[in-house]
Amino acid sequence: RTLERRMRDDDEGGGGGGGSRTTKRVCIFSMPATMCMSTFALSFTIVLAVIIQHLMIHAPAPKKGDRVTHRRYKVKMERLSTQRETYSTLLDEGVHDAANNLASSGSFVQSAPDTGLMKFLADSAEATASKWGQIVMYVKQQVYWSLQRHLGWNKYEAAGFVGLKTLYVASEAQLRAVLQDVIALDDDSSSSPNGRQQQQRTLLDIGAGTGTVTSKLTAVLGISDRRNVVCIENSESLRTVLSAQGFRVVSSPDELMLSDEINEDGDDAPPRLFSVAALFNVLDRCDYPKLLLKSAVSRIEPGGLLLVASVVPFRPLVLEGRRGSKWGEPSLRAPLSPLNIARIPTEVEYPQFEMRLAVILEAILRLHPELELRRWTRLPYVSSGDTKKTHYTLDMALMVFRISTSS
């Protein structure tokens, strides 16, 4: 405006001819555009610098997660007998029987840290080792909480979408060690454990997540065609990830029932049965664990296997999606119909891992006495880190049940 005013004064004062006046008018219309572009570029640079400075300040280096030592795998069987004898009048008979099952000879498989876990921990630490990695993690974290607060996604949906909270349950070698004495894993074997000709095994994985454990189980069970693996996952973003790996994917047990094939006569076919069904850390994170357990058992063929992994101690909480949830805290609530876990009496001082697992096993066998515990092991349940820690660790048990052939 100052430039226009001065040039207008020059015109009124007769400071030039028509040609010069035309030249000045061209300047009047061209200069603001040039100045606008320069101002935009400068503003963009300033904003970008402010954002980078903010990220540099607010993207801290996370603390190192707890060490995963042999203690996370260790089990002391004498604790079961000691606490049973000490508190025999306080514990239910079912808990006593479950403790006997856990202590029975040959059922426990000792696991140990292996290269798979070490690589997972190293990758988790490496992700935030550099300043750039810390900035990327910070941005992911902001998107992760924004999806929960503003779009109402639950924790698992948001984590799967941005690639956070990767979970490590067990390595392929550890799964093979637990299953090798229960199911024939030798490729040269011509028959299954019950004597009939071995067929292509099938797997039903309920709550498959990103499919990491599903892929390992597929390899351990010798399933070459991934169409023989069905994953049940209620998160749409995770279903996309599973489908990309070649698995058949449904959103619920009801959808699986609807997808059963129809006979040639047009009649409903009997429910499809699977060689193995897996419930890895889902019974404590769903509204109807009893119904989910029943659905899994009903889908296993006689003589088949049920794999159950559970965090110990058992703390049921449902992670729901809710708009307006508090920033930095997932939306949690109690399940609508929880699994009835026997409470350990308060007189039992410092209940150990073994007794806490016994009450979980008792609840499962009370609902399904046709299940026979064949193998179990103790493992750490590890999650990749965030802006606070490089990783997080919980105690977990993996149990292998066989379905009675007469059920």
Side-chain angles (χ1 to χ4, degrees):
R1 285 197 299 269
T2 302
L3 179 62
E4 289 182 4
R5 188 181 304 110
R6 288 180 179 176
M7 298 183 77
R8 186 167 57 250
D9 292 343
D10 289 343
D11 285 344
E12 292 174 353
S20 63
R21 190 178 298 115
T22 303
T23 303
K24 292 173 184 175
R25 283 171 182 158
V26 171
C27 292
I28 290 172
F29 291 105
S30 62
M31 286 297 291
T34 305
M35 293 175 65
C36 182
M37 291 298 295
S38 299
T39 304
F40 174 78
L42 180 61
S43 301
F44 178 80
T45 303
I46 294 174
V47 171
L48 184 62
V50 171
I51 292 175
I52 293 176
Q53 183 183 29
H54 174 83
L55 293 175
M56 294 290 288
I57 295 174
H58 292 86
K63 296 180 180 179
K64 191 174 182 180
D66 296 336
R67 289 185 60 196
V68 182
T69 64
H70 285 79
R71 183 184 64 83
R72 292 283 187 180
Y73 300 83
K74 193 173 182 180
V75 168
K76 294 183 178 181
M77 294 299 182
E78 60 270 18
R79 288 176 178 169
L80 288 169
S81 58
T82 300
Q83 292 197 338
R84 277 182 314 184
E85 294 172 0
T86 306
Y87 305 104
S88 58
T89 59
L90 300 175
L91 298 174
D92 294 338
E93 183 178 351
V95 177
H96 282 283
D97 294 338
N100 287 331
N101 272 330
L102 292 174
S104 62
S105 176
S107 64
F108 176 70
V109 177
Q110 180 65 64
S111 298
D114 61 6
T115 55
L117 176 64
M118 295 300 105
K119 184 179 184 305
F120 180 85
L121 295 176
D123 291 343
S124 297
E126 181 66 23
T128 52
S130 65
K131 195 61 186 180
W132 172 250
Q134 294 161 16
I135 291 174
V136 171
M137 180 63 70
Y138 177 78
V139 172
K140 285 185 174 182
Q141 192 87 350
Q142 299 305 303
V143 176
Y144 168 74
W145 291 118
S146 296
L147 291 172
Q148 295 179 67
R149 179 177 175 82
H150 302 300
L151 296 184
W153 291 21
N154 66 36
K155 175 182 176 181
Y156 296 124
E157 290 174 322
F161 182 79
V162 300
L164 276 179
K165 307 291 184 182
T166 305
L167 301 174
Y168 186 90
V169 176
S171 66
E172 184 177 323
Q174 289 170 334
L175 293 172
R176 193 179 299 276
V178 175
L179 291 168
Q180 64 182 356
D181 294 332
V182 182
I183 193 168
L185 299 177
D186 187 357
D187 293 336
D188 297 329
S189 178
S190 60
S191 62
S192 63
N194 58 12
R196 54 185 174 83
Q197 189 69 23
Q198 181 173 330
Q199 299 176 349
Q200 177 66 261
R201 296 190 183 95
T202 54
L203 170 64
L204 174 64
D205 192 359
I206 302 176
T210 59
T212 303
V213 178
T214 315
S215 297
K216 295 175 183 178
L217 281 175
T218 300
V220 170
L221 296 173
I223 301 176
S224 56
D225 187 354
R226 291 200 166 191
R227 290 176 297 179
N228 288 323
V229 178
V230 176
C231 299
I232 299 180
E233 177 55 56
N234 62 5
S235 169
E236 183 177 356
S237 60
L238 294 178
R239 287 199 299 271
T240 302
V241 174
L242 292 166
S243 297
Q245 299 177 59
F247 300 121
R248 289 183 55 201
V249 185
V250 295
S251 62
S252 66
D254 290 338
E255 185 179 342
L256 176 61
M257 180 177 63
L258 293 174
S259 68
D260 284 333
E261 297 180 354
I262 303 298
N263 289 333
E264 295 180 359
D265 298 334
D267 299 328
D268 291 340
R272 180 184 179 185
L273 300 181
F274 296 84
S275 309
V276 180
L279 287 166
F280 279 65
N281 297 303
V282 294
L283 292 179
D284 60 341
R285 290 294 180 264
C286 64
D287 272 319
Y288 302 98
K290 290 179 284 188
L291 184 59
L292 193 63
L293 181 61
K294 181 180 179 180
S295 298
V297 172
S298 67
R299 286 286 181 168
I300 304 174
E301 62 187 22
L305 301 178
L306 173 67
L307 312 182
V308 177
S310 175
V311 170
V312 181
F314 191 85
R315 293 194 178 100
L317 288 171
V318 177
L319 295 160
E320 63 176 357
R322 187 174 61 194
R323 282 189 175 92
S325 57
K326 189 175 181 180
W327 185 272
E329 294 182 10
S331 182
L332 302 172
R333 60 171 173 80
L336 298 178
S337 179
L339 194 66
N340 296 323
I341 302 291
R343 294 187 61 183
I344 298 178
T346 55
E347 290 85 354
V348 179
E349 297 181 357
Y350 308 112
Q352 301 295 328
F353 175 90
E354 297 79 7
M355 185 56 64
R356 293 184 184 276
L357 177 58
V359 296
I360 300 174
L361 177 60
E362 186 274 333
I364 295 174
L365 296 180
R366 181 179 359 107
L367 293 171
H368 294 280
E370 70 274 22
L371 296 177
E372 176 190 357
L373 180 67
R374 298 300 302 271
R375 294 290 184 273
W376 68 280
T377 189
R378 180 180 180 178
L379 296 165
Y381 186 33
V382 187
S383 168
S384 60
D386 51 23
T387 56
K388 296 180 180 179
K389 278 189 174 184
T390 56
H391 66 268
Y392 297 87
T393 310
L394 296 172
D395 290 321
M396 182 190 70
L398 171 60
M399 296 172 282
V400 181
F401 300 91
R402 184 177 291 282
I403 307 295
S404 171
T405 55
S406 60
S407 63

